Amino acid sequence: MNNIYGDSLYNPEIKKRFLSEFRENTRKNYEGKLKRASRVEMRLEKDLYDFTLSEFEEVIYLLAPTKLSSAMNYGSILRKYVEWASAQGLRKDKMNPLAAMKGKSDFEKFVPQQTLIKKEHLDDALSELDSYRDIAIILSIFEGILGRNSSEIRTLKVENIDKANNKIKLTNVDRYETTEREIIVSEYLIKALLAADKEEVYKSNFGEGSKRKDTSKLKDNEYIIKSTRGEEVKQSLITFVVTKFGEKLNRPSLSPIDIRNSGMLEMARIEYLRYNKKSLDRSDIHKICKQFNVGLRDGGIINSTMYTQDFLNEETIKRVYPEVE
């Protein structure tokens, strides 16, 4: 047995036999979840394979999934372990309490309600901003521009904008490589970006600069999103602007990912209503994922399952946009 809660496996010999049947990446993922589950095992003084349904639910709550797809994945890991243990004759009975928990509705209670902003509410809040820089940051994220550490926003230059065709060339600075892509955005965003590039003074009811003054001088450089200190702005500024914008929406914990997901849902709403087809198919989801540069595997293959489970679905569209029939 183990003495360190959540840092070791409970019944490590048995757990390692189970884990040995999986590939390295899967094994590491499963092992991390099983280590955290050991907190409950230690307290109850029994192995997961003999847990009741309520005890398994306690484990999933402990794992603290932030997305529906994560909660369902955790349930799948635990279910596989019980199935394996039962086949090995380890469980006291042949029941698997998790066998019936496979649908979305069974896991929704483990996940906090997502922060998804309706387009008209976002537009109303944008209309109250005094700075094109802030408008450009928020709207860029909403229309698919983000990248690792917001690099697609921070590296934007006027030369990257094809005004005639509403196209923007983006540069994403990732851990190991820098990649480029091109997307089509709204005319409104193009205008906001060009206006932000021309701003010499930062004027806003929130943002960078001293609280004692309403304006700050922006340093001229080659980037569209400028700071008061010159050079490329930092990730912290993007996050700060988003957080302050969230306060206008009464969502103080708003994050760039929340705005991105809200933009994905708005695009899903448009696709859902296009040509009055009132449905979302795989091609629609892939189109959205490509615009927002998410769900991509090696080779350009898109894994959209987690997004369809979490929010790119008819139920969420109608929840956020109740006027949609």
Side-chain angles (χ1 to χ4, degrees), residues 152-298:
E152 288 186 344
I153 299 174
R154 296 187 294 111
T155 59
L156 265 180
K157 302 174 184 178
V158 173
E159 65 192 54
N160 301 138
I161 297 177
D162 178 356
K163 183 179 177 181
N165 298 295
N166 286 357
K167 289 184 179 180
I168 299 182
K169 182 180 290 186
L170 304 170
T171 301
N172 179 34
V173 183
D174 212 332
R175 281 193 185 96
Y176 307 111
E177 63 177 345
T178 297
T179 57
E180 292 185 347
R181 65 188 185 106
E182 191 173 75
I183 64 172
I184 296 176
V185 299
S186 69
E187 185 177 348
Y188 180 39
L189 175 53
I190 296 289
K191 289 181 177 178
L193 289 167
L194 295 177
D197 181 65
K198 293 180 180 178
E199 272 187 336
E200 297 180 354
V201 175
Y202 178 71
K203 296 190 300 181
S204 188
N205 40 13
F206 69 79
E208 192 178 18
S210 171
K211 293 182 179 179
R212 297 182 181 179
K213 57 184 180 180
D214 297 325
T215 63
S216 301
K217 181 72 174 177
L218 292 172
K219 301 288 186 180
D220 186 29
N221 59 39
E222 61 183 332
Y223 301 108
I224 289 176
I225 306 301
K226 296 174 171 59
S227 75
T228 58
R229 301 171 184 174
E231 302 305 324
E232 181 182 315
V233 298
K234 296 182 178 180
Q235 162 69 15
S236 57
L237 182 140
I238 306 298
T239 303
F240 182 72
V241 168
V242 170
T243 300
K244 288 297 182 180
F245 182 71
E247 293 176 3
K248 287 188 167 296
L249 292 161
N250 197 29
R251 305 288 181 89
S253 61
L254 191 72
S255 72
I257 299 302
D258 293 327
I259 295 179
R260 183 200 71 187
N261 290 352
S262 299
M264 292 177 71
L265 185 68
E266 164 63 4
M267 189 171 174
R269 182 190 69 85
I270 293 171
E271 295 300 321
Y272 178 78
L273 296 174
R274 191 184 299 278
Y275 307 124
N276 201 35
K277 67 177 187 176
K278 300 272 182 87
S279 65
L280 283 175
D281 57 34
R282 182 175 293 275
S283 64
D284 297 323
I285 302 301
H286 284 195
K287 180 179 178 180
I288 296 167
C289 288
K290 187 174 181 180
Q291 173 77 12
F292 287 81
N293 200 28
V294 298
L296 293 175
R297 292 175 170 174
D298 292 341

Side-chain angles (χ1 to χ4, degrees), residues 122-169:
L122 182 126
D123 288 342
D124 288 344
L126 284 175
S127 69
E128 298 178 5
L129 301 188
D130 297 324
S131 169
Y132 279 112
R133 187 188 74 176
D134 293 339
I135 294 172
I137 288 172
I138 300 299
L139 200 57
S140 289
I141 300 172
F142 190 77
E143 294 197 20
I145 303 172
L146 189 58
R148 179 173 171 77
N149 293 325
S150 304
S151 57
E152 288 186 344
I153 299 174
R154 296 187 294 111
T155 59
L156 265 180
K157 302 174 184 178
V158 173
E159 65 192 54
N160 301 138
I161 297 177
D162 178 356
K163 183 179 177 181
N165 298 295
N166 286 357
K167 289 184 179 180
I168 299 182
K169 182 180 290 186

Side-chain angles (χ1 to χ4, degrees), residues 12-216:
E13 296 82 6
I14 293 175
K15 296 294 196 307
K16 287 179 180 178
R17 280 169 51 200
F18 166 70
L19 293 170
S20 67
E21 299 188 3
F22 300 95
R23 295 180 180 179
E24 182 178 2
N25 288 342
T26 302
R27 184 167 62 248
K28 288 181 179 179
N29 177 35
Y30 284 20
E31 183 176 1
K33 305 303 182 297
L34 292 174
K35 282 182 177 180
R36 292 188 63 187
S38 70
R39 299 183 184 187
V40 184
E41 289 177 299
M42 289 290 290
R43 180 169 56 79
L44 298 177
E45 296 184 344
K46 65 177 181 178
D47 196 286
L48 279 170
Y49 57 65
D50 273 330
F51 272 29
T52 64
L53 180 58
S54 62
E55 290 166 346
F56 277 121
E57 289 182 343
E58 184 178 347
V59 172
I60 298 175
Y61 276 119
L62 174 67
L63 293 172
T66 58
K67 298 182 296 184
L68 180 58
S69 56
S70 298
M72 295 178 72
N73 179 54
Y74 299 161
S76 175
I77 293 172
L78 296 173
R79 185 169 60 251
K80 288 177 182 177
Y81 178 64
V82 176
E83 289 172 351
W84 175 86
S86 294
Q88 301 294 313
L90 296 172
R91 185 174 169 87
K92 294 177 182 177
D93 58 46
K94 295 298 181 181
M95 300 288 292
N96 187 341
L98 291 165
M101 291 186 63
K102 294 182 179 180
K104 294 191 294 183
S105 59
D106 297 316
F107 292 92
E108 287 174 342
K109 62 184 177 183
F110 302 107
V111 186
Q113 187 69 54
Q114 285 195 66
T115 299
L116 293 167
I117 310 300
K118 194 174 183 179
K119 173 88 165 46
E120 64 184 74
H121 295 162
L122 182 126
D123 288 342
D124 288 344
L126 284 175
S127 69
E128 298 178 5
L129 301 188
D130 297 324
S131 169
Y132 279 112
R133 187 188 74 176
D134 293 339
I135 294 172
I137 288 172
I138 300 299
L139 200 57
S140 289
I141 300 172
F142 190 77
E143 294 197 20
I145 303 172
L146 189 58
R148 179 173 171 77
N149 293 325
S150 304
S151 57
E152 288 186 344
I153 299 174
R154 296 187 294 111
T155 59
L156 265 180
K157 302 174 184 178
V158 173
E159 65 192 54
N160 301 138
I161 297 177
D162 178 356
K163 183 179 177 181
N165 298 295
N166 286 357
K167 289 184 179 180
I168 299 182
K169 182 180 290 186
L170 304 170
T171 301
N172 179 34
V173 183
D174 212 332
R175 281 193 185 96
Y176 307 111
E177 63 177 345
T178 297
T179 57
E180 292 185 347
R181 65 188 185 106
E182 191 173 75
I183 64 172
I184 296 176
V185 299
S186 69
E187 185 177 348
Y188 180 39
L189 175 53
I190 296 289
K191 289 181 177 178
L193 289 167
L194 295 177
D197 181 65
K198 293 180 180 178
E199 272 187 336
E200 297 180 354
V201 175
Y202 178 71
K203 296 190 300 181
S204 188
N205 40 13
F206 69 79
E208 192 178 18
S210 171
K211 293 182 179 179
R212 297 182 181 179
K213 57 184 180 180
D214 297 325
T215 63
S216 301

Side-chain angles (χ1 to χ4, degrees), residues 68 104 108 113-118 261-262 264-266 268-269 272 280 306-324:
L68 180 58
K104 294 191 294 183
E108 287 174 342
Q113 187 69 54
Q114 285 195 66
T115 299
L116 293 167
I117 310 300
K118 194 174 183 179
N261 290 352
S262 299
M264 292 177 71
L265 185 68
E266 164 63 4
R269 182 190 69 85
Y272 178 78
L280 283 175
M306 61 178 289
Y307 295 101
T308 56
Q309 288 177 345
D310 288 338
F311 63 97
L312 291 184
N313 51 62
E314 181 179 338
E315 294 82 1
T316 309
I317 292 173
K318 292 184 176 180
R319 174 172 63 81
V320 178
Y321 295 91
E323 68 275 16
V324 172

